[in-house]
Amino acid sequence: MIDLQPSDEQQQIIESVSSYLADHAPIERLTAPIEAVVSQDGALRHAIAGLGVFGIGVAEELGGVGYGIAEEALVAREFGRVLLSPSLLMGMVAPHVALTSENLSLAGEIMSGETAVGAGACITASAESLHGDWHLIDSRDAALMLLCRGDRIGLVGASDLAERRDVLSMDWTLDLERTELAGGFVGVDSASLCRRVNLLVAAYMVGAAEAATQMSVDYACVRHQFNQPIGSFQAVKHRCADMLAASVAAWSQTAFAVLAHADQAADAAYQAHAACMTSKNALFSNGAANIQNHGGIGFTGEHTPHLFVKRGHFMDRIGDADLTHRSALLGKFPSGSHSVVNF
Amino acid sequence: MKIEVTPEETAFRAEVREWLKSNVPKTARPFAGDGVRDFDLNWQRRQYEAGWAGIAWPEAFGGRGASLMEQLIWHEEYALAGAPRSGCCFVGLSHAGPTLIACGTQEQRQHHLPRILKGEAVWCQGFSEPNSGSDLSSLSTKAVVDGDSLVVNGSKIWTSYAQHADYQELLLRTEPGSERHRGLSWVICDMSAPGIELRPIRTMTSAEDYHFCQVFYDDVRIPLSNVVGKLGEGWATANATLGFERGTGFIADQIQNSELIEMLIDMARNRPGADGAGSMIDNPSIATGLAALRADAAAIRSMTYASISRAGQNNPGPEGSIVKLIYSEVAQRARKLSMDILGGDGLETTLAEGLVFFYLRSFASTIGGGTSDIQRNLIGERVLGLPKGPRL
Ligand SMILES: Cc1cc2nc3c(=O)[nH]c(=O)nc-3n(C[C@H](O)[C@H](O)[C@H](O)COP(=O)(O)OP(=O)(O)OC[C@H]3O[C@@H](n4cnc5c(N)ncnc54)[C@H](O)[C@@H]3O)c2cc1C
């Protein structure tokens, strides 16, 4: 049987996370007419840890909640809907990385929210050693940064990074630093954990693409021009329909890829690359369409549509970038790649 | 069909090139902030002093009176020289000034035209309102006649450079109870008049970029002598200058876009590939994207030539929408591709010659000046003669 719908239990997880976020991290938190708001999401870390989110996919005997990557992806999608800080998303992957070196106490500290994790975004770094230039996103208070490049992943201590300096972030709601990892630390080789990063980024991007769709639909119903709601014009209506189609395609593929990954299916890599590409496409195209649907308001920095486009660029640098997925999808995959997962 | 360049035109091109070479400002135009006004006015003054101001304006009104072909050459050379865009001088030079030439009184012309040309006055355009964007003729900011003045109440929005402007071309409803295009008036508004309040609005490009404003009018008094054209016939005045430069004004943007594409090709050759191997241009999606853009840029230029030669001395009319539609979408694609080539560096606004800033700015190109959807409606109805939708 193939079932891509969340079970009742999964539905409960979604609801607890989404209702928490609706109360404490509504998308409107990122706008203010006068101030440029820098993300305060780090302050939610303990509360989000309290929901069990950071250990949701970690086995119970290792101190986690005992679900898997499917539940992580459902949470990531909710994070994406409100453009929660990418560093909190990395909080779900970090315990798994800590466990590769059997560091149970570190994994525990991350899951409890005691230790903050930052999000590294690759500028140019070696997939052999992770050495190279990185951006750090919302990572100022983080003790550890999650870096992921190719098949290599690791948690690097804040003190191991040379010359951290502030740079002007394209998305002013995200704090951005530039740094270099010059030597020492090398991380571990784990195609599986890197794919986990990619898939959670994909789920996050789908959530954001879905939120952009909803925002456009809501606006198209209330904004009137020519004495009618703009949603009655086919240009706008069709754009909204395309936005939905892109999100549905991206979520379906992401859900399928997540299950293929969980089952260690032969075609897991292929499914994951396809999920990443469709979700990136969905967020970039829906982000742009959402701006267009809002007209002048969409171009302002006072409303939220622009943040979806910008978030697309940031998420694209965590894990594999769009261009990498495109090249990878032309590669050879194990037989069965185009059929049903070998459950 | 022919391409023929006269010796006079060749000489004109050489003259323009020479002058631009030694006069284009050496410092880059500030992206945003208060420095913008001074920068733009200084550059305008410099052009005025050398006799280039108002390239398309008739000589009788102080302009250069250049022929269409000369305008084309001017704008081509202007872009190739990397000259700054007219910025906050744009509305005065390309819209308000030409409107005064077409519909203004002697006094209005004498007072305003020299100031625009000399870079002494900045104009802004107050047409759009919070509830009237695509549907401009539904506008409701109203003015009532009181003695020899109009008294204005209401609000305009998205007024580019309003905070730098001395004057505003203001489209108002002057006949109470009138509907749509009827009962509107085109009025010169002094931005220092009591009762005007500005709220600068931040754009998505950067937290410092307050490109436009919402403007509020609370019993603002404007002398009736500031009405341009007839009272109640402002719609005709507003349309008198649509396509004033017959499309030549956009040539500079188009060539700058071509230059951008060439620059991106170089950049793609020189930047390491996405996975550290080879260079960016080895990536097939970057390479085909760039090739397609190069072709589109060439075609846009040819389209502009075609529409100018078709129009001759006439207004290009709704066909201008075709160039705008294609240009704005190609420009957006070029900017998006620049982000792919920039890779991780693209997360920083400060890097790479404003590439990120202008990428973000490109989202405006399918919205400002009539959205791409509205352009498509215009093409469908006014060029192709398709059945009408809601009245445009
Ligand atoms: C950078 C920038 C600078 C600007 N500068 C100025 C200025 O200096 N002065 C000035 O007066 N204005 C200015 N504008 C305003 C601009 O003209 C309006 O934003 C534009 O006309 C759209 O109006 P709106 O923003 O109200 O969007 P709306 O009209 O509300 O449009 C919302 C969406 O509905 C769509 N839509 C609306 N009607 C239809 C239809 N009939 N068929 C199909 N789709 C439709 C639109 O395409 C859009 O996607 C500027 C705008 C920008 C972005």
Side-chain angles (χ1 to χ4, degrees):
Chain A
M1 182 178 125
I2 297 178
D3 185 359
L4 298 184
Q5 296 306 312
S7 66
D8 290 345
E9 206 173 345
Q10 289 170 330
Q11 198 57 48
Q12 279 175 9
I13 296 171
I14 297 171
E15 272 153 29
S16 84
V17 174
S18 74
S19 75
Y20 174 81
L21 294 175
D23 290 343
H24 297 94
I27 189 79
E28 294 77 21
R29 77 193 184 288
L30 299 174
T31 61
I34 309 297
E35 297 295 311
V37 188
V38 179
S39 163
Q40 306 287 318
D41 292 351
L44 305 177
R45 191 177 72 250
H46 286 284
I48 288 176
L51 298 173
V53 159
F54 297 138
I56 198 163
V58 175
E60 275 175 293
E61 61 271 26
L62 298 172
V65 183
Y67 292 107
I69 189 175
E71 290 72 17
E72 289 177 347
L74 292 171
V75 170
R77 183 188 188 190
E78 297 309 314
F79 282 12
R81 285 189 210 282
V82 295
L83 303 182
L84 201 70
S85 172
S87 59
L88 293 173
L89 182 69
M90 292 302 105
M92 276 198 292
V93 185
H96 297 288
V97 181
L99 289 170
T100 57
S101 52
E102 278 155 41
N103 194 340
L104 262 137
S105 68
L106 178 59
E109 285 165 22
I110 297 167
M111 289 188 278
S112 71
E114 204 174 309
T115 295
V117 177
C122 178
I123 303 169
T124 47
S126 150
E128 276 72 54
S129 62
L130 297 175
H131 292 171
D133 293 337
W134 294 84
H135 280 130
L136 302 176
I137 305 168
D138 276 356
S139 303
R140 221 160 272 274
D141 303 329
L144 296 167
M145 314 296 159
L146 194 135
L147 308 185
C148 171
R149 173 88 178 117
D151 287 343
R152 187 162 287 268
I153 188 166
L155 285 166
V156 56
S159 55
D160 294 331
L161 293 166
E163 289 188 51
R164 282 170 73 162
R165 60 191 170 86
D166 295 350
V167 288
L168 196 61
S169 174
M170 176 193 17
D171 177 347
W172 61 70
T173 70
L174 292 176
D175 179 68
L176 193 65
E177 298 168 86
R178 196 177 172 109
T179 188
E180 189 188 351
L181 179 64
F185 177 83
V186 286
V188 295
D189 247 329
S190 172
S192 167
L193 273 181
C194 292
R195 193 180 306 134
R196 195 174 206 109
V197 172
N198 284 336
L199 286 169
L200 296 186
V201 165
Y204 180 105
M205 291 175 95
V206 179
E210 290 172 322
T213 308
Q214 193 56 49
M215 190 179 286
S216 271
V217 170
D218 292 345
Y219 189 67
C221 292
V222 299
R223 171 71 173 173
H224 284 64
Q225 286 291 276
F226 303 97
N227 295 318
Q228 43 198 301
I230 58 169
S232 69
F233 302 125
Q234 284 194 349
V236 175
K237 189 185 291 168
H238 288 185
R239 220 163 22 232
C240 290
D242 285 342
M243 292 170 83
L244 178 66
S247 331
V248 170
W251 176 250
S252 306
Q253 180 56 28
T254 301
F256 191 73
V258 159
L259 296 179
H261 177 83
D263 292 330
Q264 300 180 340
D267 60 353
Y270 159 74
Q271 300 297 351
H273 286 305
C276 291
M277 261 196 76
T278 45
S279 60
K280 287 177 188 202
N281 278 341
L283 181 50
F284 282 121
S285 57
N286 288 9
N290 192 32
I291 290 175
Q292 187 69 21
N293 286 333
H294 279 78
I297 293 171
F299 183 65
T300 67
E302 297 183 354
H303 196 17
T304 50
H306 71 110
L307 296 174
F308 290 87
V309 168
K310 292 175 179 175
R311 195 56 58 95
H313 288 285
F314 279 75
M315 300 313 289
D316 186 40
R317 303 308 305 177
I318 300 176
D320 288 330
D322 195 18
L323 285 179
T324 304
H325 294 298
R326 284 191 228 176
S327 310
L329 271 171
L330 289 174
K332 274 209 184 309
F333 290 93
S335 61
S337 293
H338 297 269
S339 59
V340 172
V341 209
N342 52 347
F343 284 29
Chain B
M1 287 171 67
K2 62 178 180 207
I3 297 178
E4 210 174 58
V5 184
T6 67
E8 291 76 24
E9 286 162 358
T10 307
F12 181 78
R13 188 180 289 278
E15 185 193 350
V16 170
R17 184 171 295 183
E18 196 52 40
W19 185 80
L20 286 168
K21 204 170 125 195
S22 39
N23 284 281
V24 165
K26 303 270 180 295
T27 52
R29 179 176 190 270
F31 291 139
D34 288 337
V36 161
R37 179 185 156 105
D38 285 346
F39 184 96
D40 292 344
L41 289 178
N42 281 335
W43 170 227
Q44 179 59 27
R45 204 164 302 133
R46 192 120 156 212
Q47 294 173 79
Y48 173 79
E49 282 158 5
W52 299 111
I55 191 84
W57 290 24
E59 278 174 289
F61 297 101
R64 175 86 185 192
S67 70
L68 265 185
M69 194 60 203
E70 285 171 344
Q71 291 174 41
L72 204 72
I73 291 168
W74 165 259
H75 290 298
E76 285 186 351
E77 292 298 324
Y78 188 96
L80 290 170
R85 36 192 62 223
S86 50
C88 60
C89 295
F90 175 81
V91 170
L93 287 165
S94 295
H95 204 260
T99 302
L100 295 177
I101 291 172
C103 310
T105 63
Q106 265 321 95
E107 294 72 44
Q108 289 166 348
R109 290 167 174 164
Q110 267 164 16
H111 185 264
H112 290 290
L113 296 181
R115 287 175 169 76
I116 293 172
L117 291 172
K118 289 179 188 170
E120 290 172 358
V122 169
W123 280 68
C124 62
Q125 181 181 57
F127 284 14
S128 305
E129 296 181 4
N131 292 318
S132 305
S134 296
D135 185 10
L136 180 60
S137 71
S138 69
L139 66 86
S140 62
T141 295
K142 65 175 194 296
V144 293
V145 180
D146 178 29
D148 56 3
S149 293
L150 286 167
V151 181
V152 182
N153 282 286
S155 169
K156 295 286 175 181
I157 198 167
W158 318 130
T159 315
S160 301
Y161 301 122
Q163 67 273 51
H164 303 306
D166 304 291
Y167 299 100
Q168 182 178 39
E169 42 174 50
L170 196 48
L171 200 54
L172 298 168
R173 192 160 295 284
T174 45
E175 264 171 40
S178 65
E179 285 193 355
R180 309 209 58 82
H181 316 83
R182 285 174 294 275
L184 303 177
S185 298
W186 197 109
V187 177
I188 302 166
C189 172
D190 183 334
M191 290 300 278
S192 63
I196 293 183
E197 234 177 82
L198 300 183
R199 184 180 77 83
I201 302 174
R202 177 187 290 134
T203 75
M204 67 181 275
T205 54
S206 103
E208 276 76 49
D209 181 26
Y210 292 84
H211 171 81
F212 43 33
C213 295
Q214 183 164 8
V215 186
F216 300 92
Y217 311 83
D218 180 14
D219 283 337
V220 175
R221 296 189 79 84
I222 299 177
L224 270 173
S225 57
N226 279 12
V227 173
V228 177
K230 292 206 181 75
L231 192 70
E233 292 182 15
W235 193 254
T237 308
N239 283 290
T241 52
L242 286 186
F244 159 72
E245 286 164 315
R246 294 176 291 277
T248 59
F250 292 117
I251 278 273
D253 286 340
Q254 292 162 17
I255 289 179
Q256 266 158 11
N257 191 50
S258 303
E259 295 280 285
L260 167 71
I261 293 164
E262 297 308 307
M263 196 257 266
L264 293 181
I265 292 172
D266 279 347
M267 221 170 87
R269 290 207 172 101
N270 294 323
R271 287 180 79 95
D275 299 305
S279 60
M280 273 291 177
I281 204 146
D282 301 330
N283 185 298
S285 61
I286 299 277
T288 51
L290 286 168
L293 282 168
R294 228 185 199 174
D296 287 333
I300 287 173
R301 186 174 179 182
S302 302
M303 275 174 75
T304 304
Y305 291 154
S307 88
I308 289 171
S309 48
R310 188 164 49 234
Q313 295 299 319
N314 301 317
N315 189 318
E319 268 142 34
S321 288
I322 301 175
V323 184
K324 178 178 189 304
L325 178 68
I326 296 196
Y327 168 72
S328 57
E329 295 190 351
V330 169
Q332 268 176 6
R333 242 172 55 227
R335 291 293 175 187
K336 174 69 169 60
L337 200 68
S338 77
M339 292 298 286
D340 287 344
I341 298 170
L342 276 178
D345 285 331
L347 303 188
E348 294 176 41
T349 311
T350 31
L351 284 176
E353 297 171 337
L355 278 174
V356 176
F357 182 94
F358 286 112
Y359 160 65
L360 296 173
R361 172 62 67 83
S362 77
F363 285 89
S365 72
T366 49
I367 299 171
T371 69
S372 286
D373 304 309
I374 295 300
Q375 304 301 332
R376 288 189 173 89
N377 287 343
L378 290 170
I379 294 166
E381 295 178 13
R382 301 202 184 150
V383 182
L384 295 171
L386 287 165
K388 291 203 188 323
R391 181 142 179 206
L392 293 169

